Amino acid sequence: MNAADTLRTALAGLLDGLPPKAAAQAVERLIANYRGTTPTHAPILRDRSDVVAYAAYRMPATFEAVRAALEAFADAVPEWAPTSHVDIGGGTGAATWAVNATWPGARPVTVLDWAEPALALGREIAATNPELKPAEWHRTRIGAALTVESTDLVTVSYVLGELTAADRASVVTAAAAAARAVVIIEPGTPDGYARVIEARDRLIDAGFRVAAPCPHSAACPIVPGEDWCHFSARVSRSSLHRQVKGGSLAYEDEKFSYVAATRLPADPAASRVVRRPQIRKGQVLLDLCGPDESLHRETVTKRHGPLYRAARDADWGDAWPPPADED
């Protein structure tokens, strides 16, 4: 099985023996905590039942969002793969699985988190994947005192919103000092986007260039408070998802914001599709972020031939135009 299938199987096994009602109640409480506006100074995930319920519910969505961000980054650095990876605030390790899915193979992996129950469960789940089984899981305070050993890649996913502004700055600075590439993912909300932009600015100040999603490393053209940049990843719903949310669909869409920045040579997308394409009769409307630091709409019609067919297949978050061999 590939990494995604292995993870799905491991998560399904976690709920064996855990009463469905108890799991659903734990998820609802934890979601309420995560959606709070006050940064925490203690782990939200307190014990195994908390961690099992939340991992089964949230890991698939985090995995898909991080994998989408990493794949966009990989497109910008096609000849590169990380030889080591540190996941800051990694919890049960969703980002480590996403890195493994994007660049298969064994590499030194270190997961840092302040919740010991999350680390313990992450270690248990990783044991089902031979390439992740050797990963190291360390309990560490994620904040001003954080130190990160030199590594190729640092991921920080769904973490910054739990921190104070000072701790956010310290974490991003520590990541930039340690890594050749830093990928930061936050919820696709206005606040999540604001945290990503704050981190993006800090990485650029540290000498990084943006590889994705932006076509440039200049200022974001979005006016704060008027809009926000975010994308969507499709996630298969488990029975726990359906029980908690009361939905009947077999999937849901995880909205996320991200930045992938690097000290490596990178070839960002010429433009990025920043909204879901609108398909009309004989034309496709694409909302794009362009290399000239602008947001604009491009209309692709049947007159454009192969480009029109590509536009019909384009998805939210894709690079545009597609590579010449995909026209």
Side-chain angles (χ1 to χ4, degrees), residues 23-326:
Q25 289 174 340
V27 168
E28 289 174 342
R29 178 177 59 78
L30 291 166
I31 288 174
N33 285 344
Y34 269 105
R35 287 178 178 168
T37 58
T38 303
T40 61
H41 294 279
I44 291 174
L45 302 176
R46 303 172 306 187
D47 54 33
R48 183 178 172 84
S49 62
D50 274 0
V51 177
V52 166
Y54 202 73
Y57 182 80
R58 276 300 305 170
M59 272 189 82
T62 301
F63 170 83
E64 293 296 351
V66 177
R67 180 166 66 168
L70 293 174
E71 287 179 348
F73 175 59
D75 287 343
V77 288
E79 304 301 320
W80 181 80
T83 59
S84 56
H85 171 216
V86 173
D87 188 19
I88 296 175
T92 54
T96 68
W97 286 82
V99 170
N100 182 249
T102 307
W103 297 284
R107 61 181 57 85
V109 175
T110 302
V111 182
L112 307 176
D113 200 271
W114 52 12
E116 182 58 40
L119 293 167
L121 189 68
R123 187 183 299 111
E124 180 183 327
I125 298 170
T128 65
N129 183 335
E131 295 179 350
L132 292 179
K133 188 174 182 178
E136 297 184 3
W137 304 75
H138 297 303
R139 187 179 186 190
T140 305
R141 172 75 167 85
I142 308 301
L146 179 69
T147 59
V148 183
E149 293 186 2
S150 179
T151 185
D152 260 4
L153 172 66
V154 165
T155 53
V156 189
S157 58
Y158 294 85
V159 174
L160 298 183
E162 300 177 34
L163 307 177
T164 64
D167 282 350
R168 286 198 299 270
S170 296
V171 166
V172 175
T173 297
R180 302 173 71 195
V182 177
V183 182
I184 294 174
I185 304 95
E186 283 287 297
T189 62
D191 287 345
Y193 161 73
R195 291 190 291 269
V196 166
I197 286 298
E198 179 185 81
R200 180 186 186 272
D201 290 344
R202 191 167 295 276
L203 290 170
I204 291 170
D205 288 345
F208 282 68
R209 62 179 62 86
V210 177
C214 320
H216 56 79
S217 296
C220 177
I222 293 176
V223 177
E226 293 186 5
D227 202 353
W228 70 98
C229 182
H230 64 293
F231 302 94
S232 179
R234 176 97 1 136
V235 184
S236 296
R237 268 183 170 169
S238 67
S239 58
L240 181 57
H241 281 83
R242 291 192 289 271
Q243 182 177 354
V244 172
K245 291 198 170 181
S248 58
L249 292 177
Y251 64 88
E252 64 180 11
D253 292 324
E254 172 72 6
K255 305 298 195 306
F256 65 98
S257 295
Y258 77 98
V259 62
T262 183
R263 299 187 187 276
L264 301 161
D267 185 19
S271 294
R272 180 77 60 184
V273 181
V274 293
R275 289 288 182 273
R276 200 176 301 280
Q278 299 180 44
I279 300 178
R280 309 273 177 84
K281 184 176 181 180
Q283 62 181 14
V284 181
L285 308 181
L286 299 176
D287 291 308
L288 303 172
C289 180
D292 57 351
E293 307 163 41
S294 71
L295 296 170
H296 64 280
R297 173 167 289 182
E298 182 172 320
T299 301
V300 185
T301 69
K302 287 185 176 181
R303 296 197 313 271
H304 294 96
L307 198 61
Y308 171 71
R309 292 192 292 273
R312 288 184 62 86
D313 292 336
D315 201 1
W316 185 5
D318 284 354
W320 185 261
D325 58 359
E326 294 181 15

